[in-house]
Amino acid sequence: MLRNVGFLMVFAALAPACAQVKASGPDAERIRAAISAMRIAPEAKAAIQARIDGAPKPFRLYVAQALADRAADPMLLFRVDKSKALPVGFAPADLRALDGTGLSVSRPGHRLRAAALAALEDMNAAALKEGLTLLVSSSYRSYDYQVEVWDRGVKADGAVETAASVAKPGHSQHQLGTAIDFGSITDAFADTKASRWLAANARRFGFTLSYPKGLAEITGYKWESWHYRYVGKAAAAMEAGYFGGVQEYLLLFLEALE
Ligand SMILES: [Zn+2]
């Protein structure tokens, strides 16, 4: 059931911290009910439930930790997509500048929330050890800036085409201050070493790919090999091990547990 070693390593690293949270997470019945309540294809639900049934104990620990993370920071695991907007007027209170951190940036002025920046710095240090540069090309975007991005897209390509790759104002993960676009922000990024490294390692630092290949019907967006969101280590491990690497499923599940 557990298909990769990385997943087990993250579990081993998290287990002591999770033990402190105790088994205060939801029981098997509540988990089953939450999965049943998710508005996704029945086959997808069945696959998720089967993975949980195959390794229920780590799952409960991950859920307990993810819920503790969310209790400490309600926006960390807040779903925002085409059907769900951010709270009106939302702007993160703890944005930090990337300038002066030594991180590789496309331009001055990038900002991220404190926890996402700390995780990015850890991830960047690990990548550097392997001779890789993680170029940050987009980070926090305010509601007003997203209005500009959206309007520019509509002017150039029309609303329908723009909606396949650009979020409407109030619906962008970038407004959370925890999403990052790396590298060229084009499909060419997928063929880079940095992209392959992120695909294999980002979750160890709490980042996951928001818009995987071939899942536009689920995520609402075309494949974006460059767009990662910080969700925390427990949620990232849970996504990889139980939700097929689909962040939207993870977020829908946690929402169903509210
Ligand atoms: Zn993005």
Side-chain angles (χ1 to χ4, degrees):
M1 276 296 164
L2 305 180
R3 286 166 302 169
N4 60 65
V5 176
F7 171 76
L8 288 170
M9 282 167 60
V10 173
F11 175 62
L14 277 171
C18 290
Q20 287 163 19
V21 179
K22 295 180 197 154
S24 56
D27 62 19
E29 270 322 296
R30 207 171 141 221
I31 288 169
R32 195 173 287 277
I35 287 167
S36 167
M38 289 167 71
R39 285 202 200 159
I40 63 172
E43 315 84 70
K45 284 188 205 185
I48 293 164
Q49 187 64 57
R51 289 189 206 107
I52 294 169
D53 292 342
K57 197 177 163 196
F59 186 76
R60 284 192 66 194
L61 290 173
Y62 286 137
V63 174
Q65 185 61 49
L67 293 181
D69 291 349
R70 181 170 71 184
D73 178 357
M75 298 312 285
L76 179 72
L77 292 158
F78 187 92
R79 177 171 67 91
V80 53
D81 55 22
K82 284 195 170 162
S83 67
K84 187 179 176 195
L86 286 160
V88 174
F90 173 76
D94 60 347
L95 290 171
R96 304 280 185 269
L98 271 62
D99 295 335
T101 59
L103 289 162
S104 181
V105 291
S106 63
R107 56 168 176 79
H110 282 297
R111 288 182 294 167
L112 287 171
R113 290 192 60 200
L117 175 56
L120 173 63
E121 288 185 301
D122 285 350
M123 186 162 75
N124 186 62
L128 270 180
K129 275 188 194 159
E130 298 187 35
L132 296 171
T133 300
L134 301 179
L135 172 67
V136 175
S137 297
S138 187
S139 51
Y140 169 66
R141 297 206 288 256
S142 68
Y143 180 94
D144 289 347
Y145 186 74
Q146 194 67 22
V147 170
E148 286 177 35
V149 173
W150 172 259
D151 287 349
R152 216 183 299 144
V154 171
K155 232 178 206 173
D157 304 316
V160 173
E161 181 147 341
T162 300
S165 56
V166 176
K168 284 185 179 167
H171 290 261
S172 173
Q173 287 194 346
H174 286 283
Q175 196 182 332
L176 288 164
T178 49
I180 304 170
D181 293 335
F182 292 99
S184 62
I185 318 190
T186 68
D187 285 339
F189 179 66
D191 287 325
T192 63
K193 281 185 183 169
S195 172
R196 284 190 284 273
W197 189 89
L198 283 168
N201 294 286
R203 69 171 176 266
R204 290 197 289 122
F205 302 91
F207 288 93
T208 70
L209 190 71
S210 299
Y211 311 117
K213 199 172 196 173
L215 296 183
E217 276 188 32
I218 293 160
T219 67
Y221 296 99
K222 289 194 287 195
W223 178 41
E224 294 194 358
S225 63
W226 56 86
H227 178 116
Y228 284 79
R229 173 177 172 179
Y230 178 70
V231 295
K233 289 179 184 177
M238 191 161 72
E239 180 188 316
Y242 295 90
F243 292 91
V246 183
Q247 188 192 90
E248 184 80 6
Y249 289 167
L250 166 84
L251 298 175
L252 282 165
F253 167 72
L254 290 171
E255 194 174 280
L257 272 181
E258 275 173 357

